[in-house]
Amino acid sequence: MRRIRPPAATALGLALSAAVVPPVPARTGAADAAAPGTVATGKTGGPGVRKPGAGIARTGDAAKAVLFRDGREIAGAGSSWTDFEVPAEAADHRLDVSTTRASGEWAYGVATDTSWSFRSAAAGGATPLPLLQLDYTVPVDAHNEAGPGRTHAVRLAARAQDGLAAPRGVVMRVEVSYDDGRTWSRAPLRDRGANAFEAGVKRPSGVRGDAYVTLRVGARDAAGNSVRQTVTRAYLHRG
């Protein structure tokens, strides 16, 4: 049997805030012991942004993890920090982790949905799982707000867990919503090399004034590992 613990799905935080990187999801011996790791890190890494003066969230916040093996759901938990026991044989896995912050203390990153697809089998020692990680760099100020210009650029990068070689042949897709995910537009991407990309975010013509920006990012490498992540109300675009 293997043991898989889903990484903690984090959302975007203040610009230039410190990224908190716990131990990475890894396989130990015959079990996959996936310690919590961050999903969105870098210059916008962190657990989200609480409203000024807000205390610690106590009600309304939730997390959920579901593990699939060869397309069949085999485990689930109402937490992103749960160990999953799975057979040791090699198989294709999908790990879905979602978080919601409905308590009112959080102004941004009020929900995240992340889905990783990867192949895993038992190993003789501690080996990081091939879960692709996404890094974001968003041009926001200390209030997590982007300037009033109609367009701005968001930089993204895909990387492997610490201890694994850099992924090869990464392709990425970025979509943007200004209505909390009801409608989406695909952002043009510029390949900056080394698995880094720059997405052009453009305010829709019908959107006036300040508006929240929701991001949906997908990435896949040449080995078939993939990640798809949605961050609801990632930041504010001033009008």
Side-chain angles (χ1 to χ4, degrees):
M1 302 292 286
R2 295 197 309 284
R3 184 181 54 175
I4 290 181
R5 180 183 302 157
T10 61
L12 299 181
L14 288 170
L16 303 179
S17 65
V20 179
V21 186
V24 300
R27 179 167 44 252
T28 304
D32 278 345
T38 53
V39 175
T41 62
K43 289 191 177 179
T44 54
V49 180
R50 284 185 293 184
K51 294 177 181 177
I56 297 175
R58 294 177 180 172
T59 60
D61 297 345
K64 179 183 178 181
V66 182
L67 180 66
F68 297 84
R69 173 183 165 85
D70 290 335
R72 182 174 64 89
E73 181 178 337
I74 62 170
S79 170
S80 60
W81 298 78
T82 303
D83 291 347
F84 291 142
E85 295 285 347
V86 297
E89 292 77 20
D92 293 321
H93 293 85
R94 191 180 89 234
L95 178 61
D96 295 344
V97 177
S98 62
T99 66
T100 57
R101 296 185 175 107
S103 56
E105 281 85 356
W106 299 93
Y108 303 103
V110 296
T112 67
D113 289 283
T114 308
S115 180
W116 291 273
S117 293
F118 59 99
R119 190 164 182 82
S120 178
T127 305
L129 291 171
L131 275 63
L132 289 178
Q133 305 292 288
L134 296 173
D135 293 337
Y136 301 75
T137 302
V138 183
V140 294
D141 60 19
H143 301 287
N144 222 49
E145 299 176 358
R150 188 175 180 189
T151 63
H152 58 271
V154 172
R155 293 187 177 185
L156 305 106
R159 58 179 172 83
Q161 300 278 16
D162 292 344
L164 294 177
R168 296 184 178 183
V170 171
V171 293
M172 186 175 286
R173 178 187 177 103
V174 178
E175 295 171 284
V176 181
S177 175
Y178 277 76
D179 55 12
D180 291 345
R182 289 185 292 275
T183 60
W184 297 91
S185 60
R186 187 169 180 177
L189 275 183
R190 182 163 69 95
D191 191 336
R192 299 176 56 84
N195 299 325
F197 301 84
E198 184 174 280
V201 176
K202 185 176 182 180
R203 178 197 302 271
S205 58
V207 175
R208 299 285 188 269
D210 296 345
Y212 290 107
V213 179
T214 294
L215 297 175
R216 185 164 67 189
V217 181
R220 177 180 293 272
D221 67 13
N225 303 306
S226 66
V227 60
R228 188 170 189 252
Q229 183 174 80
T230 302
V231 182
T232 303
R233 297 192 174 188
Y235 58 96
L236 188 77
H237 189 175
R238 293 200 305 270

